[in-house]
Amino acid sequence: ALEYYHEARKIYERLNDENKIAMVLVNMAIVLKAQSEYAKVIEYYHEALSIFQRSNNEFGVAVCYANLGSVFYYLPDYDSALHYSLKATQEFEAQNVQQFLSSSLCNAGMAYDKLGDKKKAKLYLLEAKKMNEQYDNKKELAFGMIYLAKVYQSEGLYVIAEKEAIEALTIATKIN
């Protein structure tokens, strides 16, 4: 896949199509993330981000912020993960892009949890849960609920944690 993306990038560079180059960079970063090549992933997302910013592609900017937040979470660099997840949240909210907003809210909640702010973690995770229920996004709903259960468990709220975890498992089982 990376070979084809490199070729596509060369073609778009010859055509001077900046937005397509940025989209290819995002796709390359996705492939490299699966291979745990995080330094290159961050480099490609930043390059794509710069292009999207120059061309005023607000959705592209938001996607890069969201993906950077996710990458930094797995490094783990929770301060950077939170920074980019909050920027993605702001961008998606400003654009009213609900289908991606819940994911950035969940990522911010997870980062807040790792940074020890349980109150904000729950706030963001509950908002993501509400949105995922509203839009019937079962996969994201189940994922967020599992993380919410972990937060409740860490606070000693075992009954609530168990309820969230069982409900998440039920949803996940239904969607395979």
Side-chain angles (χ1 to χ4, degrees):
L2 286 175
E3 212 174 286
Y4 289 109
Y5 284 133
H6 281 292
E7 289 302 314
R9 182 179 182 178
K10 288 177 189 174
I11 291 168
Y12 292 130
E13 285 172 347
R14 284 195 300 269
L15 295 172
N16 201 29
D17 191 333
E18 291 272 301
N19 272 309
K20 293 276 175 58
I21 293 167
M23 288 169 43
V24 167
L25 288 166
V26 167
N27 289 333
M28 290 169 72
I30 291 168
V31 171
L32 290 167
K33 183 180 176 193
Q35 298 171 355
S36 301
E37 302 228 11
Y38 298 121
K40 201 70 169 165
V41 170
I42 292 167
E43 176 187 329
Y44 283 168
Y45 280 139
H46 277 295
E47 189 175 349
L49 176 61
S50 177
I51 293 169
F52 286 138
Q53 287 171 327
R54 279 196 314 268
S55 63
N56 294 316
N57 182 330
E58 294 173 356
F59 180 73
V61 168
V63 166
C64 287
Y65 286 152
N67 288 332
L68 281 163
S70 175
V71 171
F72 280 114
Y73 182 84
Y74 287 103
L75 279 178
D77 177 349
Y78 303 122
D79 288 315
S80 294
L82 179 61
H83 170 77
Y84 285 108
S85 295
L86 291 175
K87 286 178 84 83
T89 298
Q90 291 170 344
E91 288 289 331
F92 287 135
E93 283 177 335
Q95 298 168 44
N96 199 27
V97 180
Q98 303 298 311
Q99 67 268 29
F100 294 105
L101 179 56
S102 64
S103 182
S104 63
L105 287 166
C106 186
N107 287 344
M110 291 166 46
Y112 273 124
D113 176 56
K114 291 293 188 179
L115 293 168
D117 192 335
K118 303 296 182 193
K119 185 176 180 180
K120 284 188 179 176
K122 282 192 296 191
L123 179 74
Y124 278 81
L125 290 166
L126 286 168
E127 183 63 25
K129 178 182 177 182
K130 180 179 155 186
M131 290 185 77
N132 285 321
E133 288 172 336
Q134 181 180 351
Y135 292 102
D136 201 33
N137 187 349
K138 294 187 186 317
K139 182 179 176 185
E140 289 289 325
L141 177 60
F143 176 78
M145 289 175 73
I146 287 294
Y147 209 91
L148 189 55
K150 289 179 184 178
V151 173
Y152 284 131
Q153 180 186 18
S154 72
E155 293 183 315
L157 301 170
Y158 301 114
V159 174
I160 298 170
E162 181 182 38
K163 178 186 170 288
E164 288 290 324
I166 290 170
E167 189 176 342
L169 180 60
T170 302
I171 293 167
T173 302
K174 285 181 182 176
I175 62 171
N176 285 329

